[in-house]
Amino acid sequence: MRARRIACLILGLWMGAGLMMAWLAAQNVRMADQLMALPNAAASLQFKSVGHAQSALLLRYLAAEQTRSEYEIWETVQLFLSAFFFFFLLFGTSQGKVTLGIALLLFLIVAFQRFAVTPQIAGMGRALDFGAIASRREQGQYEVLRYGYLLSEAVKCGLGLVIGVALFWSSGRSLDSGQEIHMIDKADHRHINR
């Protein structure tokens, strides 16, 4: 029972941190736009000397680089977290093969994101950040990678919910625990079965 609660806690923290990372990525872009819209006096002078368009481009580039860095760190953390979660379920609980298979699939999705998708998105994003002339094919590839990443995040969340429901609803009792009878001996030698 306690192991299932710990597994639910780990899963909840993992999924919650994933939502927080998505919020942080949106905040990075929003902050760059806010700085351009309402800069303080010193920044406003610098923006005027560089030019409004160039300043906006630099701030968006900074926001994109910060987001890329945060996601690389987060995916590395997720890699270790998903491995820990799988092994915790394997050795610390009595979950079935389906739940363990889903946990292993979560680990594989995270590994695929970290080593295959994210480096390609980061490289293509850096090339497109400064408005480098890119063919429609390159822009299309970038969009496909981005949507693939978002789809894999949605699949990860869905699988996390499935495991959460499985952990929540599993009884935590052995299959034959209802057949066990505990004998209690009373002082007057009567037996009570419960």
Side-chain angles (χ1 to χ4, degrees), residues 16 47 62 68-69 95 97 128 138 144 151 159 167 171 177:
F47 291 160
L62 176 65
R68 285 189 277 266
S69 174
Q95 293 299 311
K97 291 178 184 177
L128 298 173
E138 290 171 335
V144 166
L151 180 65
L159 291 175
L167 287 170
S171 65
S177 63

Side-chain angles (χ1 to χ4, degrees), residues 8 14 39 46 53 64 71 121 124 127 131-132 150 154 158 163 167 173-174:
C8 285
W14 180 9
Q46 294 297 321
Y71 268 102
I121 288 176
M124 293 179 105
L150 292 174
I163 288 180
L167 287 170
R173 300 168 65 183
S174 65

Side-chain angles (χ1 to χ4, degrees), residues 118-161:
T118 299
Q120 288 184 5
I121 288 176
M124 293 179 105
R126 284 184 183 106
L128 298 173
D129 277 342
F130 284 104
I133 298 174
S135 68
R136 288 182 184 231
R137 181 176 173 231
E138 290 171 335
Q139 289 176 345
Q141 286 175 343
Y142 178 75
E143 290 301 317
V144 166
L145 284 172
R146 238 185 77 225
Y147 288 127
Y149 185 86
L150 292 174
L151 180 65
S152 66
E153 282 293 311
V155 168
K156 232 177 13 180
C157 286
L159 291 175
L161 286 173

Side-chain angles (χ1 to χ4, degrees), residues 15-49:
M15 296 298 136
L19 291 174
M20 186 184 77
M21 287 302 299
W23 179 78
L24 282 174
Q27 286 295 86
N28 288 342
V29 173
R30 189 173 298 129
M31 183 60 73
D33 292 337
Q34 286 176 351
L35 284 174
M36 282 307 297
L38 299 168
N40 66 23
S44 181
L45 291 174
Q46 294 297 321
F47 291 160
K48 284 180 184 177
S49 68

Side-chain angles (χ1 to χ4, degrees), residues 1-190:
M1 180 71 151
R2 205 176 282 166
R4 284 187 308 122
R5 288 181 184 168
I6 292 171
C8 285
L9 176 67
I10 293 168
L11 186 63
L13 289 174
W14 180 9
M15 296 298 136
L19 291 174
M20 186 184 77
M21 287 302 299
W23 179 78
L24 282 174
Q27 286 295 86
N28 288 342
V29 173
R30 189 173 298 129
M31 183 60 73
D33 292 337
Q34 286 176 351
L35 284 174
M36 282 307 297
L38 299 168
N40 66 23
S44 181
L45 291 174
Q46 294 297 321
F47 291 160
K48 284 180 184 177
S49 68
V50 174
H52 185 73
Q54 290 293 73
S55 298
L57 193 61
L58 285 172
L59 285 175
R60 287 191 186 110
Y61 173 71
L62 176 65
E65 276 299 313
Q66 185 173 358
T67 301
R68 285 189 277 266
S69 174
E70 289 168 353
Y71 268 102
E72 285 179 8
I73 292 168
W74 170 236
E75 286 171 359
T76 302
V77 169
Q78 279 189 96
L79 200 59
F80 289 107
L81 188 61
S82 61
F84 175 77
F85 183 69
F86 171 73
F87 286 115
F88 183 80
L89 286 180
L90 181 64
F91 296 117
T93 67
S94 60
Q95 293 299 311
K97 291 178 184 177
V98 173
T99 306
L100 291 173
I102 293 172
L104 182 61
L105 184 59
L106 281 171
F107 172 77
L108 293 174
I109 290 171
V110 170
F112 177 72
Q113 284 178 323
R114 176 66 184 101
F115 298 115
V117 179
T118 299
Q120 288 184 5
I121 288 176
M124 293 179 105
R126 284 184 183 106
L128 298 173
D129 277 342
F130 284 104
I133 298 174
S135 68
R136 288 182 184 231
R137 181 176 173 231
E138 290 171 335
Q139 289 176 345
Q141 286 175 343
Y142 178 75
E143 290 301 317
V144 166
L145 284 172
R146 238 185 77 225
Y147 288 127
Y149 185 86
L150 292 174
L151 180 65
S152 66
E153 282 293 311
V155 168
K156 232 177 13 180
C157 286
L159 291 175
L161 286 173
V162 168
I163 288 180
V165 168
L167 287 170
F168 184 76
W169 289 109
S170 65
S171 65
R173 300 168 65 183
S174 65
L175 296 176
D176 60 349
S177 63
Q179 304 298 327
E180 295 177 13
I181 298 176
H182 298 285
M183 302 289 283
I184 300 175
D185 290 333
K186 291 281 189 175
D188 60 358
H189 303 292
R190 291 187 299 155

